Amino acid sequence: MSRFDSVCGGLELDRYPLNAAADNLQAWDAADEYLLQHCVTLKPQSGPTLLFNDGFGTLACALQDRCPVSIGDSFLSQLASRHNLQKNPVTGGQVQFLDSLAPLPDAPALVLIKLPKTLALLEHQLYAIRQVAVPGTLIIAAGKVRDIHNSTLQRFSDIVGPTRTSLAKKKARLIFSQPTAPVGVARDQSCTWPLEDTPYQIQNHANVFSRSSLDIGARFFMQHLPTGLNGTLVDLGCGNGVLGLSALQLNPQADVHFVDESYMAIASSQINIQRNRPADLGRCQFNVGNALAGYDANCLQAVLCNPPFHQQQVITDHIAREMFSEAKRCLRIGGELRIVANRHLDYYHKIKQLFGNCTTLGANPKFVVLRAVNT
């Protein structure tokens, strides 16, 4: 926990998940500070306040007296925001949460955007904002100077309207955009592409990893998936669901659950099963969640995982380690965890320490596929 002394008052803020948060990382950054410093100079206006990509709820906590609507694609960010709001209550303050595919409130007075990692997600959000913005809507984005490129500003200009930037402060910069561009039909930022060596067509929403093609880690993992299993398999951190899609074919007696903390990932997975294996929908569940929270102990036969090694813009292995620990808790005796990972991450020793065993099923110069059995 860290104290953030903002212009809106002192806040006690945690990164999330709590048991994996690094002590040297804080729940806010210079872009949050810059946004809030500018917000206190604004005159009150009538209309909703929208917050986009508020990673750990810093903006929601500081501005909760405005009863803002917080929009994002991360379930973990929503959990973090709710946690930090409970730690920093304000009388009469209320925050509404919407996922990244939900309709936005009409005629917002103020829109604050923390720049997302992917340009496609930013485009998706700008098109959605332009549909509801009115001439008086103030649209302000913030990010690190290194993450604001000419292409970033061009998206604002093309989709929203005239755009300018602030001076840099603590290596952060603000973007101001006026909603004067014509309001057209919101452009779909999803991609559809053929899954190689299969008859399947894969659709990815804007914020799904490897949006326009099969990522090379998943391609290698698909050569080492289990076959002929019964019980419940989980595609953990499923992304577009290509691993679970293949597991359905290879394990016709098993149920397959798709789990991810991204709302767009789960929506993409569901589309891809409906499109490519509609007869198997009865064997599937699609769950937005934090790792395997909500699953009972000893209930799963297999967990398949292509774990992330970053959270937002921070490179870290704590989410992967939580996934491995949750798999250990939820697997039946004899059940197995299979993962694909970059060789340099050395997950072999972490998994062996946790499970007491670990086998390398395949390796190439970039990736390894590992298997551990719950004993």
Side-chain angles (χ1 to χ4, degrees), residues 156-317:
F156 278 86
S157 296
D158 291 345
I159 299 170
V160 179
T163 297
R164 63 182 178 87
T165 60
S166 71
L167 296 174
K169 184 181 293 187
K170 294 184 179 180
K171 300 182 179 179
R173 194 184 297 277
L174 301 181
I175 300 171
F176 304 92
S177 198
Q178 296 177 306
T180 60
V183 181
V185 176
R187 189 176 302 172
D188 185 5
Q189 299 303 306
S190 65
C191 288
T192 301
W193 42 270
L195 181 60
E196 56 196 52
D197 301 323
T198 76
Y200 302 150
Q201 291 288 316
I202 302 301
Q203 181 169 332
N204 276 24
H205 279 296
N207 197 42
V208 179
F209 176 68
S210 195
R211 192 169 69 98
S212 59
S213 64
L214 180 65
D215 78 273
I216 55 177
R219 179 184 292 115
F220 187 54
F221 197 6
M222 289 169 67
Q223 302 170 24
H224 301 280
L225 294 176
T227 61
L229 297 182
N230 297 312
T232 301
L233 286 62
V234 172
D235 183 356
L236 180 58
C238 62
N240 56 30
V242 293
L243 298 179
L245 178 64
S246 298
L248 282 168
Q249 180 179 359
L250 296 171
N251 301 272
Q253 303 304 314
D255 294 331
V256 177
H257 293 192
F258 298 80
V259 178
D260 204 292
E261 69 102 25
S262 161
Y263 291 94
M264 286 188 170
I266 293 301
S268 299
S269 294
Q270 191 158 6
I271 289 170
N272 290 328
I273 302 305
Q274 289 172 335
R275 170 178 289 171
N276 296 295
R277 298 190 69 87
D280 289 327
L281 273 172
R283 296 197 283 136
C284 298
Q285 285 189 22
F286 303 90
N287 303 316
V288 176
N290 174 22
L292 293 171
Y295 280 85
D296 294 334
N298 310 312
C299 70
L300 302 177
Q301 188 58 44
V303 175
L304 313 175
C305 188
N306 183 357
F309 52 89
H310 56 80
Q311 183 179 24
Q312 297 170 28
Q313 279 85 0
V314 176
I315 295 174
T316 176
D317 70 348

Side-chain angles (χ1 to χ4, degrees), residues 54 57 78 86 91 113 116 129 139 147 153 158 174 181 196 203 211 233 283 347 353:
D54 186 15
Q78 189 178 123
Q86 288 179 345
T91 301
I113 307 169
I129 292 166
I139 300 173
D147 296 328
L153 301 178
D158 291 345
L174 301 181
E196 56 196 52
Q203 181 169 332
R211 192 169 69 98
L233 286 62
R283 296 197 283 136
Y347 287 152
Q353 183 178 28

